[in-house]
Every structure is written in structure tokens, then in C-alpha cells.
Amino acid sequence: MTTALICDDEPLMRANLRDHLELLWPDLQVVDEAVDGPDALRKINTLQPDIAFLDIQMPGLTGLQVAQLAQLAQAPTQVVFVTAFDRHALEAFDAHAVDYLLKPLDAARLARMVTRLKQTLPSRHLAPVDALQTQLQVLARQLAERAEPVAKPLMDWLQVDVGKQVRMLHVDDVMYFESDSKYTRVVGQDCDGLIRLSLKDLLASLDARRYLQVHRSVVVNRSHVHAVHRRGDVMEIEIRGRAQRLRVSESCQHLFRAM
């Protein structure tokens, strides 16, 4: 059975979230509640629930600090932040949260979260035979990787066509890539041009930890993301120094909650 811990310093909020979860996820077992940051960290490390619903603004330790300390302790708990503020979205992303809920809670939004969590629960909930099969598959992949040649080196420099010029641009200076038919548009601080490479082929040569595909036609450089904006179900990324915002497709929004 999947277990959960609810952490919030407001009793009414804890009760509200528990009621929603009982309705949307009857099989979920809420093992305990925490009233502040230190209490939340202690119960995560002791009870090791599958999911911790963390308020961000809590006495003693913030929810972000609790998540970071739990990671250092290698707790297997997945974190869902529940907060009244949307300004913490990027910090939640860095803390490897699996979702980010805004107060007041919305039943439809909670239902989508429940569906996603059920699909991404850790393998310890698999039946013994399924778990053994998963372990064998992992072992097979590891053996195959050892037999494979050295991975292709990551791309460093790009030759970008800007009008009648060819500009040399380091990938670190690229703000985002955008698919443009059989070419790819490259946007940097002082460069906006094309390269003769499809977005799909380009992705294979980029560091996946730094470059995130936020739409089927757009890849952003994480280091140039200034803010994430939400309006209902619509999520947009603000790139540092640019007025234009980039739309995040619904299937990619978990990357900014992720994980």
C-alpha cells in the first residue's frame, strides 16, 4: 500500500488535503501528519513514507529545506510541495519535487497529480515476480552499456547562420533551441540564427541535465531560465533578458515540478 505524510502548520489545511486524498485516492494510507519543518524531517526519516506533501512556509525549516535534508539522508520519499505561492517553482524543481500544488487546492488538479503519482511510484510496490523482472532488466542494461563503445562526446560549439554571416556560438550561451522545419533556430543573447541540424539530432549531442525539452519544438537551457509562470493549467517559461515567454506543453510540465 502506498503511504503518505502530510506536513503543514495549518490544521485546517492538513484536514482539507486529507479529505481530498481520501476521496481521490482511497488506497493511499496517510501514516501521520507533521506541524512544522523539524517534525516533518524527523517523520520522513523515521517513517519513510512513499510521498510527503510539504508546505513550503513552515516554522523551524521550510519545506524546501526539509526536502533537501531528506535527500542528503537518502530518504526514498517523493515530495509534493503544497503552497500558496508560485514563486518557488524553480526551487521546487531543483529540489526534485514530483509535483507542485497551489493553495487553495483544486480537485481537478489534485486528480491529475494522483494519476501521475500512481504511474510513477517506485518499484518497491511491484509484486515480487515483477520486481525481480525489473532487476533483471536493469542488470541486462548495465551489462549492455559496459559492452558499448564510449559515448559520443557532447557538442561544444555551433556554427550558426545569421543572415550572410556564420557565427561561432558555444552551447552554454544558447538560451533556447526551436525547431524550424528541417533546420533548428538558435537563440542566444546576441545571436539569432539557424543551424542545419534537426532538433531531434541536436538533442542527442546535448547534456540532458542542462537542456530541457519543454515542447516538442522547443529545448531550453536551464541556466537561462529566469522564472516559471502559471495561469491555471497554462505554464510558460521566462528566459532571462527576453520579453517573449515560451509555452510548456502539458506533457512536459512535470519537469518544473519532476521528476
Side-chain angles (χ1 to χ4, degrees):
M1 177 178 290
T2 304
T3 57
L5 176 70
I6 296 176
C7 313
D8 199 300
D9 60 324
E10 299 178 16
L12 291 178
M13 185 60 209
R14 295 198 304 272
N16 187 23
L17 180 55
R18 181 187 280 269
D19 290 344
H20 274 90
L21 291 172
E22 287 179 355
L23 179 65
L24 296 169
W25 198 346
D27 295 334
L28 180 70
Q29 180 185 2
V30 178
V31 293
D32 207 343
E33 297 179 0
V35 298
D36 56 37
D39 188 29
L41 181 61
R42 181 170 57 254
K43 289 178 177 178
I44 287 175
N45 290 332
T46 302
L47 301 173
Q48 296 197 348
D50 299 307
I51 308 162
F53 295 92
L54 293 178
D55 184 19
I56 289 185
Q57 300 293 342
M58 292 192 294
L61 292 169
T62 68
L64 292 165
Q65 291 170 328
V66 170
Q68 291 163 355
L69 291 171
Q71 278 184 344
L72 291 176
Q74 298 184 337
T77 303
Q78 298 189 53
V79 171
V80 174
F81 286 115
V82 185
T83 178
F85 308 98
D86 62 0
R87 63 175 180 264
H88 299 292
L90 279 178
E91 295 170 283
F93 171 70
D94 287 334
H96 303 287
V98 295
D99 214 327
Y100 187 92
L101 301 176
L102 290 176
K103 302 176 183 178
L105 297 175
D106 177 75
R109 177 69 182 81
L110 274 167
R112 291 197 295 273
M113 176 210 68
V114 168
T115 300
R116 182 162 47 249
L117 285 177
K118 285 182 177 180
Q119 295 172 346
T120 58
L121 284 174
S123 59
R124 59 179 168 155
H125 295 291
L126 298 174
V129 173
D130 291 337
L132 177 60
Q133 183 178 17
T134 299
Q135 293 173 3
L136 290 173
Q137 290 173 345
V138 171
L139 179 60
R141 285 198 299 269
Q142 291 175 342
L143 292 174
E145 289 171 357
R146 291 178 185 176
E148 290 178 354
V150 178
K152 180 181 178 181
L154 298 177
M155 182 178 294
D156 287 326
W157 291 91
L158 299 167
Q159 295 184 15
V160 184
D161 291 334
V162 182
K164 296 182 179 180
Q165 293 182 339
V166 176
R167 294 279 303 278
M168 296 299 297
L169 187 68
H170 197 278
V171 291
D172 290 346
D173 296 326
V174 176
M175 294 178 170
Y176 64 92
F177 299 93
E178 184 177 18
S179 178
D180 186 351
S181 185
K182 60 182 178 180
Y183 300 97
T184 297
R185 181 187 175 199
V186 180
V187 179
Q189 289 184 345
D190 60 348
C191 179
D192 191 338
L194 299 173
I195 57 174
R196 292 177 174 80
L197 192 66
S198 69
L199 193 64
K200 180 180 178 181
D201 292 336
L202 179 65
L203 273 171
S205 301
L206 295 175
D207 186 347
R209 295 168 300 179
R210 299 191 59 185
Y211 298 88
L212 305 176
Q213 186 163 16
V214 301
H215 191 277
R216 64 181 180 180
S217 62
V218 177
V219 172
V220 300
N221 185 341
R222 176 180 169 183
S223 63
H224 289 279
V225 175
H226 177 64
V228 177
H229 301 270
R230 290 191 57 190
R231 300 191 314 277
D233 290 336
V234 176
M235 180 180 287
E236 294 177 323
I237 291 175
E238 180 182 348
I239 300 296
R240 189 174 290 106
R242 294 187 69 87
Q244 178 190 6
R245 293 181 181 178
L246 302 174
R247 181 77 172 265
V248 180
S249 66
E250 187 173 351
S251 62
C252 297
Q253 289 184 9
H254 69 280
L255 294 172
F256 294 88
R257 302 182 188 114
M259 94 330 245

